[in-house]
Structure formats: structure tokens, C-alpha cells
Amino acid sequence: MSAHVIADDAEALAVAASLAAGFRADASVRDAERRLPRAELDRLSAAGLLAVTVPAEHGGADVSALTLAEIIRLLAAADASLAQIPQSHFAYVNVIRRQGTDEQRKFFFAELLAGRRFGNAQSEAGTRHVQDIRTRLHPRPEGSYRLEGVKQYSTGALFADWIPVLARAEDDKLHVAYVPRDAKGFTVIDDWDGLGQRTTASGTVRLDGVEVPADRVLPHHLTFEGPQLHGAVAQLLHAAIDAGIAGAALTEAAEFVRTKSRPWFESGVETAAEDPLLIQRFGELALQVRASEALLREAARAVDRAQADLTDDSAAEASLAVAAAKVSAARAAVEVASALFEVSGTRAALKSLNLDRHWRDARTHTLHDPTRWKIQHIGRHVLNGTRPPRHGLL
């Protein structure tokens, strides 16, 4: 595989905007027919967009968090399922940046620049909680490992070249094993049937005695032993997806009202777009979208500042800023996508129009982690100066 190498932030944003415009055209059909976006992901890879966080010393653009968040927002506004797939890709690029050896970085960054994709095999179902990881790395006599376990919600694994697998070693500490998609004993099952984000292929991964060389395993637990931005960056991209969904729902609602809705007979106006009550409601919805986008940019800048000078305080500020952005974007996505029907009228509920995909995507994506706990950590910091925990979800 070969891929274009993006030079800088400006080019990355231009490429993302161009690709998003193309992806938007068939997004509804892909959702309605559950047509998996293999061709679209190949275009992302070939355009070099999935390698934009490769460090400059390895030949990458090393774009800012502000640029990366905008890339994901643009993609989500076009197709929320498609934008979800590279979220974990970029998160596990960051693991290599922080915990990889020089040789591991050299190898994997070259893979990324060549257009290779990371999936993920992180979450598990049926455990006590989300951080109860039971997949195991068993050491072998010659120094390699044997990987055993079952993963759920493995977004992107079906389309990936490498699948990062979160597992515990004998000492119970978390590691990430980077496993090639065609490894013996590695099975990806396309059994995702979520009501939203239908084409992410977030199904099951089975690991039956998968052999992993020692140089493909990274000590992820070390990430959380000092100030870190792993969780802030990952959550920033989740917030960008929600902000993208909210913006897309508002845009589609406005277009529908301008071109298809009828005015309510009591309004005394000729078109729905002239109805003062609809105008008021659109103003309220636009405020929510603008606020979510503004908080997203503010959070991304906080991440960039912390990356330039990483301390306990700067990492905490970044995490809290991202938490605020995620809460705002999650609310906007669900509420604006629901209000689309309120402002558009009865015809908007036709199944053939598939306008409910925005709400289904928002409702599904915002279940990733509860915003109520983000609000808790914001409140604890305001009242007591308590820094947020270093668990990777904030």
C-alpha cells in the first residue's frame, strides 16, 4: 500500500474538507443499507489523513490537537460512523508516541505513512465495569506472548491492518499488543447491530492463542503513572464526533424547512422559513451547536498547550476543558438531532428520508462514557481544586 504524505495542518484540513464533501453524498444510503465503508476508508488512507499525527522527525505532519479535532468534526458532520472508525486509530498512535521504543516508533510510523490502519480490541462485555479487562498476555519461554480473550465493540478492527489489543500481563498491569489482522487465532466477527453508527462494524474479536512477538507489546500502564494526555486526546475526538453530528443535524433541518416544510396555518406567513416561532427555535439550536464547537476548539487548544509543557496542572486543565466540551457536544448532538423532527414537521418522520440517522448516531455514540461523571470532576475541581483522575477516560 502507498499513501500521500500530508505536509502540514493546512493541507490536512483541506484534505479532510474535500473528503468529507464526497463522503456526505452517500452517507444516508450507507446507513440505511448498512453498506460498510471500505472504499471510503481506503480513500482516507490513500490521502494520508490517518498519518497526520506521525511526529515530524519520522516524516509526518504532526498536526495540532486543534487540527485533529477539526478533521474528526468535519468527517462526523458528513458521516458519524465513518468518523468513529479512526478515533481509536489516533488514540493508539498516541500510545506508540508515548510508550514505544525507538525501533517500535520507527516501524509503526512507517506503517502509518504507508497508509496502514489501526483498529481496536479494547472493551469487553460482561465484566464488572469498563476497566475490568480480562484478556491475558501469557509469556512464552522464548520471550514472546500468547494472547487469549474476547473483545466487544471493536470499532475498525474489520477494516484494519493492525489491531491494538488491550490486555493484562502476569503482573496484572495493562499492555497493548499490536496484532496483524491476519494473525493465526485472531477472528473478527461482524456482529454489531447497534441502532446507530451502523457501519462502524464494532463487533466481536476472538483471540485464541494468538502469538505476539515481544517487540509488538507496549506497557500501556506506564501512560498513567505521570501527567498524561492519552484520555484527553481520545475524549477530544469523541467530543468532535458529537459536535459534528449536532452541526449536521442543524444543517439538514434548515435545508428541510427551507425546501419541504409547510408553514403552520396560524403563522400567517407564506413559507415555513418565515415562521417566527421556527426562527426562534433555530436560533436556540444554533446557539447549542456554536457553543459545542467553541468549547471543542477551547479544549483542543488546552491540549496543545499541555503538550508543549506537560505538568500535572496543564494535564488537569486539558482534561477538564475536554470534559466540558464533551458534555456540551453530547447534549447538543442528542437535542439538535431530536429537534430536527420538531422543526421539520410530520413528513420528516418518513423512513425513506432516513433523517433519524442523526439522532440514532448521537444516541449511540454518547453512550460511550457517562457525561455525569465528567460534570462531577469539573465540580470537584471548581470547589476543592481536585485534579481529575488519570484513568484514560477524561
Side-chain angles (χ1 to χ4, degrees):
M1 182 185 293
S2 62
H4 173 69
V5 177
I6 288 175
D8 53 29
D9 291 62
E11 185 184 4
L13 289 171
V15 169
S18 177
L19 287 173
F23 296 154
R24 184 177 295 108
D26 296 323
S28 179
V29 175
R30 282 194 297 275
D31 172 86
E33 299 178 358
R34 198 173 179 270
R35 187 186 302 171
L36 298 181
R38 298 181 187 275
E40 288 75 18
L41 285 167
D42 285 344
R43 289 178 63 191
L44 279 178
S45 292
L49 209 59
L50 299 182
V52 294
T53 59
V54 170
E57 60 267 29
H58 288 271
D62 200 7
V63 302
S64 66
L66 182 64
T67 292
L68 185 61
E70 179 63 5
I71 288 170
I72 297 297
R73 191 196 68 80
L74 288 168
L75 293 176
D79 183 340
S81 287
L82 188 59
Q84 179 63 45
I85 294 169
Q87 187 275 337
S88 56
H89 167 96
F90 286 116
Y92 283 104
V93 174
N94 279 348
V95 174
I96 295 171
R97 289 186 65 144
R98 186 171 175 91
Q99 299 302 338
T101 65
D102 289 342
E103 285 303 311
Q104 287 170 330
R105 291 176 185 141
K106 181 179 179 181
F107 174 80
F108 279 114
F109 291 153
E111 287 284 280
L112 293 168
L113 290 171
R116 306 287 192 270
R117 294 193 289 267
F118 290 165
N120 102 87
Q122 176 173 291
S123 296
E124 299 177 12
T127 57
R128 292 184 301 115
H129 51 70
V130 70
Q131 292 201 323
D132 181 16
I133 302 298
R134 300 182 184 181
T135 297
R136 288 286 168 175
L137 275 169
H138 300 286
R140 295 165 60 88
E142 78 282 5
S144 65
Y145 295 90
R146 186 182 82 253
L147 197 54
E148 299 278 356
V150 178
K151 297 290 189 177
Q152 305 288 337
Y153 314 122
S154 301
T155 301
L158 194 66
F159 316 113
D161 301 288
W162 292 90
I163 295 89
V165 180
L166 198 61
R168 294 193 184 276
E170 278 195 316
D171 59 4
D172 214 38
K173 292 181 178 179
L174 281 177
H175 291 68
V176 178
Y178 288 74
V179 181
R181 173 69 177 79
D182 58 357
K184 184 179 179 181
F186 190 99
T187 306
V188 182
I189 304 169
D190 181 20
D191 57 359
W192 169 242
D193 64 349
L195 66 88
Q197 293 199 303
R198 298 184 66 231
T199 62
T200 59
S202 301
T204 302
V205 164
R206 295 190 179 278
L207 305 146
D208 300 310
V210 177
E211 293 187 23
V212 184
D215 63 358
R216 296 292 179 262
V217 177
L218 280 70
H220 192 35
H221 61 96
L222 296 179
T223 299
F224 308 104
E225 292 186 3
Q228 52 82 32
L229 296 171
H230 178 80
V233 172
Q235 291 296 309
L236 179 72
L237 302 189
H238 280 308
I241 292 169
D242 290 338
I245 294 171
L250 182 64
T251 297
E252 191 140 18
E255 176 64 16
F256 195 95
V257 169
R258 281 193 299 264
T259 61
K260 296 181 177 65
S261 294
R262 297 180 298 178
W264 184 244
F265 71 96
E266 292 179 286
S267 67
V269 296
E270 292 297 317
T271 68
E274 298 172 288
D275 184 332
L277 297 182
L278 281 181
I279 289 171
Q280 177 72 19
R281 187 66 175 123
F282 268 96
E284 293 168 349
L285 297 174
L287 283 176
Q288 286 187 276
V289 173
R290 282 175 175 260
S292 70
E293 292 175 354
L295 284 172
L296 180 69
R297 290 190 294 270
E298 178 184 311
R301 292 188 182 103
V303 171
D304 283 328
R305 289 193 297 270
Q307 285 177 333
D309 182 21
L310 187 59
T311 65
D312 285 332
D313 287 336
S314 67
E317 175 55 33
S319 288
L320 292 166
V322 171
K326 183 65 170 66
V327 172
S328 176
R331 288 175 174 174
V334 173
E335 292 178 19
V336 176
S338 177
L340 184 157
F341 299 96
E342 169 198 334
V343 297
S344 299
T346 307
R347 187 181 174 190
L350 293 177
K351 184 177 180 181
S352 60
L353 296 176
N354 198 27
L355 294 178
D356 63 309
R357 71 186 185 280
H358 300 296
W359 183 87
R360 289 187 288 103
D361 285 341
R363 185 64 283 173
T364 301
H365 181 256
T366 54
L367 297 176
H368 269 83
D369 49 280
T371 56
R372 59 186 177 273
W373 276 99
K374 298 182 187 302
I375 295 171
Q376 276 282 312
H377 293 306
I378 293 170
R380 290 172 183 177
H381 186 264
V382 170
L383 280 176
N384 304 313
T386 306
R387 294 191 185 109
R390 296 169 176 164
H391 54 40
L393 294 174
L394 197 68

